[in-house]
Structure formats: structure tokens, C-alpha cells
Amino acid sequence: MMTGNHSTTTTFILAGGLGTRLRSLSGEQPKGMMPIDGEPFLRRMLERLAAQDVREVVLCLGYGADAIIEYFEAHPLPSVQLHYSIEDEPRGTAGALRAAEPFWSEHNLILNGDTELEFALHDFYHYHRTMCADLSIGLAHVDDAARYGRVRLRDDGRVETFLEKDGIHHSGLVNAGVYLATRHTLDAIPRAGAYSVEREWLPDLLQRDCALYALPIAESFVDIGTPEDYLKLANRQVK
């Protein structure tokens, strides 16, 4: 949860992926434990959230859950209370949120656990409430949008459609893997089976005519899911 007027918001980090693209560097280690400047990437994420008044976080775990829990039990963060939701089997990013249903709140901040970006959380939350959004998506600008899903917006910021990865190299705004979602949008996630946030849940909400809005929140971001981008971030930190 967040302090102050955000106390009805629960924060979730999706950190249960298999990390297959990163295996040439990570071996059997879960992505969230990959080191950046001498500390696990997940710890770095949590410290940044703590600096923005986030005091409780639910880690949605799957692959490598034991290693992540063991680390944080041995190296707790004094300012953040952690809870764990562990999948019995891989259910995709949205399926992981359904598995964490006991922790859902009126509003829910959801972050991909392999994305590095800086953004103003309180501004994002204010936008979400001002627009009376069912779900808000944080966008980031990238120089090459070819391998990311993009979002087409109306003039008022409401989502018009989601654009698949097109392989065309161009700059643009992409989904940065940061969401604020009301509880009833999470109810749209099936209780069984694999289900993806980007490929299934968000398009399904749009078809249901839910009020989806998107806002640029960051100048750039890094997805550490590939060896190239992980090394880019790691090398940037050690210089």
C-alpha cells in the first residue's frame, strides 16, 4: 500500500516469469535476482518505490520463488513490508494477478518486475483518479519501438486501440508495464488457465468498453529481459 491519500492502493510486482531470453547470462537464477550495481534488480525496484511512499508490496512469484523469498528474508528492507503470492503453475502475467486476489484493493498499482524506469507515482495516481479511469497505463518513449506493444490514444488520453509489435524501427510511446487498475477490472481475469496482461486482459477490457486511459510517465525505460538490455543497464550503473 501507499501512504497518505493512496492508502486504498495495493502494489503488485509481477516477478514470476521464466526469464528464458536471459538464460545465457542468468543460468537458473530468476530475473529479479540479477545484479545491478551490486544488488538484485528487485531490491532496486523496491527501494525506488519506497522513496515514493510505497510501504507494502505483493511480489507475484513463480519461477525461482524460493530464491527470492530466501534473499528478502535474509536482507529485509526496513521501509517496505513484503507479501508473497506464489503460482502453483505458470499462468501468465494476468493469471499471476488472479492468483493474488486475496491482496486486491480498491485501486491496484501493477508493475512488471523486469522493467527499469523512473516516474512520478503520485502524478500517475492523480491522473488515474481525475480521469475516473477503470485502468490507466503508464507509457514511456523509446528510440526503437519495433519490439514493444504500442497504444493508440484519442485526444483526451483514452485508449483507442492496442497495436501489436510490427517490427518497424521507429521511435514512439510504448506500454511501460505500469498500471493502475480498479478492482472490478481484475475481476475480468479468468480464475483458471494462462492469461496475459498485454495480449489478453487489456484488449478484453477495451472490448468491454471499460474506461482505459494512458499517460506518458517516463522519458525512457529498460526491459532487462534480454541480455543486450540487461548489460546496457548493468554497464551504465558501474561506470
Side-chain angles (χ1 to χ4, degrees), residues 93-150:
T93 45
L97 287 172
R98 172 55 85 174
E101 182 177 356
F103 299 103
W104 291 357
S105 292
E106 178 186 351
H107 299 279
N108 302 275
L109 175 67
I110 303 159
L111 303 101
N112 286 345
D114 57 4
T115 301
E116 164 97 354
L117 78 163
E118 294 186 31
F119 70 102
L121 175 53
H122 292 270
D123 291 347
F124 186 40
Y125 188 87
H126 178 72
Y127 175 82
H128 174 73
R129 296 300 297 269
T130 299
M131 303 307 289
C132 297
D134 293 315
L135 183 141
S136 298
I137 304 170
L139 306 177
H141 185 274
V142 296
D143 292 332
D144 187 357
R147 68 184 181 92
Y148 299 102
R150 291 177 294 127

Coordinates of all heavy atoms in Angstrom, one line a residue, residues 93-150:
T93 N 1.1 -13.3 -16.9 CA 1.2 -12.1 -16.1 C -0.2 -11.8 -15.4 O -0.3 -11.5 -14.2 CB 1.7 -10.9 -16.9 OG1 1.0 -10.9 -18.2 CG2 3.2 -11.0 -17.1
A94 N -1.3 -11.9 -16.2 CA -2.6 -11.6 -15.6 C -3.0 -12.7 -14.7 O -3.7 -12.5 -13.7 CB -3.6 -11.4 -16.8
G95 N -2.7 -14.0 -15.1 CA -3.0 -15.1 -14.2 C -2.4 -15.0 -12.9 O -3.0 -15.4 -11.8
A96 N -1.2 -14.4 -12.8 CA -0.5 -14.2 -11.6 C -1.3 -13.2 -10.7 O -1.3 -13.3 -9.5 CB 0.9 -13.6 -11.8
L97 N -1.9 -12.2 -11.3 CA -2.7 -11.2 -10.6 C -3.9 -11.9 -10.0 O -4.4 -11.6 -8.9 CB -3.1 -10.1 -11.5 CG -2.0 -9.1 -11.9 CD1 -2.5 -8.1 -12.9 CD2 -1.6 -8.3 -10.6
R98 N -4.6 -12.8 -10.8 CA -5.7 -13.5 -10.3 C -5.3 -14.4 -9.1 O -6.1 -14.5 -8.1 CB -6.3 -14.4 -11.4 CG -7.4 -15.3 -10.9 CD -8.6 -14.6 -10.2 NE -9.6 -14.1 -11.1 CZ -10.7 -13.5 -10.7 NH1 -11.0 -13.4 -9.4 NH2 -11.6 -13.0 -11.5
A99 N -4.1 -15.0 -9.1 CA -3.7 -15.8 -8.0 C -3.5 -15.0 -6.8 O -3.5 -15.5 -5.6 CB -2.4 -16.5 -8.4
A100 N -3.2 -13.7 -6.9 CA -3.0 -12.8 -5.8 C -4.3 -12.1 -5.4 O -4.2 -11.1 -4.6 CB -2.0 -11.7 -6.2
E101 N -5.4 -12.6 -5.7 CA -6.7 -12.0 -5.4 C -6.9 -11.6 -3.9 O -7.5 -10.6 -3.6 CB -7.9 -12.9 -5.9 CG -9.2 -12.3 -5.6 CD -10.4 -13.2 -6.2 OE1 -10.0 -14.2 -6.8 OE2 -11.5 -12.9 -6.0
P102 N -6.4 -12.4 -3.0 CA -6.6 -12.0 -1.6 C -6.0 -10.7 -1.2 O -6.4 -10.1 -0.2 CB -5.9 -13.2 -0.8 CG -6.0 -14.3 -1.7 CD -5.8 -13.8 -3.1
F103 N -5.1 -10.2 -2.0 CA -4.5 -8.9 -1.7 C -5.1 -7.7 -2.5 O -4.7 -6.6 -2.3 CB -3.0 -9.0 -2.1 CG -2.2 -10.0 -1.3 CD1 -1.9 -11.2 -1.8 CD2 -1.9 -9.7 0.0 CE1 -1.2 -12.2 -1.1 CE2 -1.1 -10.7 0.8 CZ -0.8 -11.9 0.2
W104 N -6.1 -7.9 -3.4 CA -6.6 -6.9 -4.2 C -7.2 -5.8 -3.3 O -7.8 -6.0 -2.2 CB -7.7 -7.4 -5.1 CG -7.3 -8.3 -6.2 CD1 -6.0 -8.6 -6.5 CD2 -8.1 -9.0 -7.1 NE1 -6.0 -9.5 -7.6 CE2 -7.3 -9.7 -8.0 CE3 -9.5 -9.0 -7.3 CZ2 -7.8 -10.5 -9.0 CZ3 -10.0 -9.8 -8.3 CH2 -9.2 -10.6 -9.1
S105 N -7.1 -4.5 -3.8 CA -7.7 -3.4 -3.1 C -8.6 -2.6 -4.1 O -8.8 -3.1 -5.2 CB -6.6 -2.4 -2.6 OG -5.8 -3.0 -1.6
E106 N -9.1 -1.5 -3.6 CA -10.0 -0.7 -4.5 C -9.2 -0.2 -5.7 O -9.7 -0.2 -6.8 CB -10.5 0.6 -3.7 CG -11.3 1.5 -4.5 CD -11.6 2.8 -3.7 OE1 -11.3 2.8 -2.5 OE2 -12.1 3.8 -4.3
H107 N -8.0 0.2 -5.5 CA -7.1 0.5 -6.6 C -5.8 -0.3 -6.5 O -5.4 -0.6 -5.4 CB -6.7 2.0 -6.6 CG -7.9 2.9 -6.8 ND1 -8.5 3.2 -8.0 CD2 -8.7 3.5 -5.9 CE1 -9.6 3.9 -7.9 NE2 -9.7 4.2 -6.6
N108 N -5.2 -0.7 -7.6 CA -4.1 -1.6 -7.6 C -3.0 -1.1 -8.6 O -3.2 -0.9 -9.8 CB -4.5 -3.0 -8.0 CG -5.6 -3.5 -7.1 OD1 -5.3 -4.1 -6.0 ND2 -6.9 -3.3 -7.5
L109 N -1.8 -0.8 -8.0 CA -0.7 -0.5 -8.8 C 0.1 -1.7 -9.2 O 0.4 -2.6 -8.3 CB 0.3 0.4 -8.0 CG 1.6 0.8 -8.7 CD1 1.4 1.7 -9.9 CD2 2.5 1.5 -7.7
I110 N 0.3 -1.9 -10.5 CA 0.9 -3.2 -11.0 C 2.1 -2.8 -11.9 O 2.0 -1.9 -12.7 CB -0.2 -3.9 -11.9 CG1 -1.4 -4.2 -11.1 CG2 0.5 -5.2 -12.5 CD1 -2.6 -4.5 -11.9
L111 N 3.2 -3.5 -11.6 CA 4.5 -3.2 -12.3 C 5.1 -4.5 -12.8 O 5.1 -5.5 -12.0 CB 5.5 -2.5 -11.4 CG 5.0 -1.1 -10.8 CD1 4.6 -1.4 -9.3 CD2 6.1 -0.1 -10.9
N112 N 5.6 -4.5 -14.0 CA 6.4 -5.6 -14.5 C 7.7 -5.6 -13.7 O 8.4 -4.6 -13.4 CB 6.8 -5.4 -15.9 CG 5.6 -5.7 -16.8 OD1 4.6 -6.3 -16.4 ND2 5.7 -5.3 -18.1
G113 N 8.1 -6.8 -13.2 CA 9.3 -7.0 -12.4 C 10.6 -7.0 -13.1 O 11.6 -7.3 -12.5
D114 N 10.6 -6.7 -14.4 CA 11.9 -6.7 -15.2 C 12.0 -5.4 -15.9 O 12.8 -5.3 -16.9 CB 11.9 -7.9 -16.2 CG 10.7 -7.9 -17.1 OD1 9.9 -6.9 -17.1 OD2 10.6 -8.8 -17.9
T115 N 11.4 -4.3 -15.4 CA 11.5 -3.0 -16.1 C 12.0 -1.9 -15.2 O 11.6 -1.7 -14.1 CB 10.0 -2.6 -16.6 OG1 9.5 -3.6 -17.4 CG2 10.1 -1.3 -17.3
E116 N 13.0 -1.3 -15.7 CA 13.7 -0.1 -15.0 C 13.2 1.2 -15.6 O 13.3 1.4 -16.8 CB 15.2 -0.2 -15.2 CG 15.9 1.0 -14.9 CD 16.5 1.0 -13.5 OE1 16.2 0.1 -12.7 OE2 17.3 1.9 -13.2
L117 N 12.5 2.0 -14.8 CA 12.1 3.3 -15.2 C 11.9 4.2 -14.0 O 11.6 3.7 -12.9 CB 10.8 3.3 -16.1 CG 9.5 3.1 -15.4 CD1 8.4 3.5 -16.4 CD2 9.3 1.7 -15.0
E118 N 12.0 5.5 -14.2 CA 11.7 6.4 -13.2 C 10.5 7.2 -13.5 O 10.4 7.7 -14.7 CB 12.9 7.4 -13.0 CG 14.2 6.7 -12.5 CD 15.3 7.7 -12.2 OE1 14.9 8.9 -11.8 OE2 16.4 7.4 -12.3
F119 N 9.5 7.3 -12.6 CA 8.3 8.0 -12.9 C 7.7 8.6 -11.6 O 8.1 8.1 -10.5 CB 7.3 7.1 -13.6 CG 6.7 6.1 -12.7 CD1 5.4 6.2 -12.2 CD2 7.4 4.9 -12.5 CE1 4.9 5.2 -11.4 CE2 6.9 3.9 -11.7 CZ 5.6 4.0 -11.2
A120 N 6.9 9.6 -11.7 CA 6.3 10.2 -10.5 C 5.0 9.5 -10.2 O 4.0 9.7 -10.9 CB 6.0 11.7 -10.8
L121 N 5.0 8.6 -9.2 CA 3.9 7.8 -8.9 C 2.6 8.6 -8.5 O 1.5 8.3 -8.9 CB 4.2 6.8 -7.8 CG 3.2 5.9 -7.2 CD1 2.4 5.2 -8.3 CD2 3.7 5.0 -6.2
H122 N 2.9 9.6 -7.7 CA 1.7 10.4 -7.2 C 1.0 11.2 -8.4 O -0.2 11.3 -8.4 CB 2.2 11.4 -6.1 CG 2.7 10.7 -4.9 ND1 1.8 10.5 -3.8 CD2 3.9 10.2 -4.5 CE1 2.5 9.8 -2.9 NE2 3.7 9.7 -3.2
D123 N 1.8 11.6 -9.3 CA 1.2 12.3 -10.5 C 0.4 11.3 -11.3 O -0.7 11.6 -11.8 CB 2.3 12.9 -11.4 CG 3.0 14.1 -10.7 OD1 2.5 14.6 -9.7 OD2 4.0 14.5 -11.2
F124 N 0.9 10.1 -11.4 CA 0.2 9.0 -12.2 C -1.1 8.7 -11.5 O -2.2 8.5 -12.1 CB 1.1 7.8 -12.3 CG 0.6 6.7 -13.1 CD1 -0.1 6.9 -14.3 CD2 0.8 5.3 -12.7 CE1 -0.6 5.8 -15.1 CE2 0.3 4.3 -13.5 CZ -0.4 4.5 -14.7
Y125 N -1.1 8.5 -10.1 CA -2.3 8.2 -9.4 C -3.3 9.4 -9.5 O -4.5 9.1 -9.6 CB -1.9 8.0 -7.9 CG -3.0 7.5 -7.0 CD1 -3.3 6.1 -6.9 CD2 -3.8 8.4 -6.3 CE1 -4.3 5.7 -6.1 CE2 -4.8 7.9 -5.5 CZ -5.1 6.6 -5.4 OH -6.1 6.1 -4.6
H126 N -2.8 10.6 -9.4 CA -3.7 11.8 -9.6 C -4.4 11.7 -10.9 O -5.6 12.0 -11.0 CB -2.9 13.0 -9.4 CG -3.8 14.3 -9.6 ND1 -4.7 14.7 -8.6 CD2 -3.8 15.2 -10.6 CE1 -5.3 15.8 -9.0 NE2 -4.8 16.1 -10.2
Y127 N -3.7 11.4 -12.0 CA -4.3 11.3 -13.3 C -5.4 10.3 -13.3 O -6.5 10.5 -13.9 CB -3.2 11.0 -14.3 CG -3.7 10.8 -15.7 CD1 -4.0 11.9 -16.6 CD2 -3.9 9.5 -16.2 CE1 -4.4 11.7 -17.9 CE2 -4.3 9.3 -17.5 CZ -4.6 10.4 -18.3 OH -5.1 10.2 -19.6
H128 N -5.0 9.1 -12.8 CA -6.0 8.0 -12.8 C -7.3 8.4 -12.1 O -8.4 8.1 -12.6 CB -5.3 6.8 -12.0 CG -6.2 5.6 -11.8 ND1 -6.5 4.8 -12.8 CD2 -6.7 5.1 -10.7 CE1 -7.3 3.8 -12.3 NE2 -7.4 4.0 -11.0
R129 N -7.2 9.0 -11.0 CA -8.4 9.4 -10.2 C -9.1 10.6 -10.9 O -10.4 10.6 -11.0 CB -8.0 9.8 -8.8 CG -7.5 8.7 -8.0 CD -8.4 7.6 -7.8 NE -9.6 8.0 -7.1 CZ -9.8 7.9 -5.8 NH1 -8.8 7.4 -5.0 NH2 -10.9 8.2 -5.2
T130 N -8.4 11.5 -11.5 CA -9.0 12.7 -12.2 C -9.8 12.2 -13.4 O -10.9 12.7 -13.7 CB -8.0 13.7 -12.6 OG1 -7.3 14.2 -11.4 CG2 -8.6 14.9 -13.3
M131 N -9.3 11.3 -14.2 CA -10.0 10.8 -15.4 C -11.1 9.8 -15.1 O -11.8 9.3 -16.0 CB -8.9 10.1 -16.3 CG -7.8 11.1 -16.7 SD -8.4 12.7 -17.4 CE -9.0 12.1 -19.0
C132 N -11.2 9.4 -13.8 CA -12.2 8.4 -13.4 C -12.0 7.1 -14.2 O -12.9 6.5 -14.7 CB -13.6 8.9 -13.6 SG -14.0 10.3 -12.5
A133 N -10.7 6.7 -14.4 CA -10.3 5.6 -15.2 C -10.6 4.3 -14.5 O -10.4 4.2 -13.3 CB -8.9 5.7 -15.6
D134 N -11.0 3.3 -15.3 CA -11.1 1.9 -14.8 C -9.7 1.4 -14.7 O -9.3 0.6 -13.8 CB -11.9 1.1 -15.7 CG -13.4 1.4 -15.7 OD1 -13.9 1.7 -14.6 OD2 -14.0 1.5 -16.8
L135 N -8.9 1.7 -15.7 CA -7.5 1.3 -15.7 C -6.6 2.3 -16.4 O -7.0 2.9 -17.5 CB -7.3 -0.1 -16.4 CG -5.9 -0.7 -16.4 CD1 -6.0 -2.2 -16.2 CD2 -5.2 -0.4 -17.7
S136 N -5.5 2.7 -15.9 CA -4.6 3.6 -16.5 C -3.2 2.9 -16.8 O -2.8 2.1 -16.0 CB -4.3 4.8 -15.6 OG -5.5 5.5 -15.3
I137 N -2.6 3.3 -17.9 CA -1.4 2.7 -18.4 C -0.3 3.7 -18.5 O -0.5 4.8 -19.0 CB -1.6 2.0 -19.8 CG1 -2.7 1.0 -19.8 CG2 -0.3 1.4 -20.3 CD1 -3.1 0.6 -21.2
G138 N 0.8 3.4 -17.9 CA 2.0 4.3 -18.0 C 2.7 4.0 -19.3 O 3.0 2.9 -19.6
L139 N 3.0 5.1 -20.0 CA 3.8 5.0 -21.3 C 5.2 5.5 -21.1 O 5.4 6.4 -20.3 CB 3.0 5.7 -22.4 CG 1.6 5.4 -22.6 CD1 1.0 6.3 -23.7 CD2 1.4 3.9 -23.0
A140 N 6.1 5.1 -22.0 CA 7.4 5.6 -22.0 C 7.9 5.8 -23.4 O 7.4 5.0 -24.3 CB 8.4 4.6 -21.3
H141 N 8.8 6.7 -23.7 CA 9.3 6.9 -25.0 C 10.5 6.1 -25.2 O 11.4 6.0 -24.4 CB 9.6 8.4 -25.2 CG 10.1 8.8 -26.6 ND1 11.4 8.6 -27.0 CD2 9.4 9.2 -27.6 CE1 11.4 9.0 -28.3 NE2 10.2 9.3 -28.7
V142 N 10.6 5.4 -26.4 CA 11.8 4.6 -26.7 C 12.2 5.0 -28.1 O 11.4 5.4 -29.0 CB 11.5 3.1 -26.7 CG1 11.2 2.7 -25.2 CG2 10.4 2.7 -27.6
D143 N 13.5 4.9 -28.4 CA 14.0 5.2 -29.7 C 13.7 4.1 -30.7 O 13.5 4.5 -31.9 CB 15.6 5.3 -29.6 CG 16.0 6.5 -28.8 OD1 15.3 7.5 -28.8 OD2 17.1 6.4 -28.2
D144 N 13.5 2.9 -30.3 CA 13.1 1.8 -31.2 C 11.9 1.1 -30.6 O 12.1 0.3 -29.7 CB 14.3 0.9 -31.5 CG 14.0 -0.1 -32.5 OD1 12.9 -0.2 -33.1 OD2 14.9 -0.9 -32.9
A145 N 10.7 1.3 -31.2 CA 9.5 0.7 -30.7 C 9.1 -0.6 -31.3 O 8.1 -1.1 -31.1 CB 8.4 1.7 -30.8
A146 N 10.0 -1.1 -32.2 CA 9.7 -2.3 -33.0 C 9.3 -3.5 -32.2 O 8.4 -4.2 -32.6 CB 10.9 -2.6 -33.9
R147 N 9.9 -3.7 -31.0 CA 9.6 -5.0 -30.3 C 8.7 -4.7 -29.1 O 8.6 -5.6 -28.2 CB 10.9 -5.6 -29.8 CG 11.7 -4.9 -28.8 CD 13.0 -5.6 -28.5 NE 13.9 -5.0 -27.5 CZ 13.8 -5.3 -26.2 NH1 13.0 -6.2 -25.8 NH2 14.7 -4.7 -25.4
Y148 N 8.0 -3.6 -29.1 CA 7.1 -3.3 -28.0 C 5.7 -3.1 -28.5 O 5.5 -2.7 -29.6 CB 7.5 -2.0 -27.2 CG 8.9 -2.1 -26.6 CD1 10.0 -1.5 -27.2 CD2 9.1 -2.8 -25.4 CE1 11.3 -1.6 -26.6 CE2 10.4 -2.9 -24.8 CZ 11.4 -2.3 -25.5 OH 12.7 -2.4 -24.9
G149 N 4.7 -3.4 -27.6 CA 3.4 -3.1 -27.9 C 3.1 -1.6 -27.7 O 3.6 -1.0 -26.8
R150 N 2.4 -1.0 -28.7 CA 2.1 0.4 -28.6 C 0.6 0.6 -28.4 O -0.2 -0.3 -28.5 CB 2.5 1.1 -29.9 CG 4.1 1.1 -30.1 CD 4.5 1.7 -31.4 NE 4.1 0.9 -32.5 CZ 3.3 1.3 -33.6 NH1 2.9 2.6 -33.6 NH2 3.0 0.5 -34.5

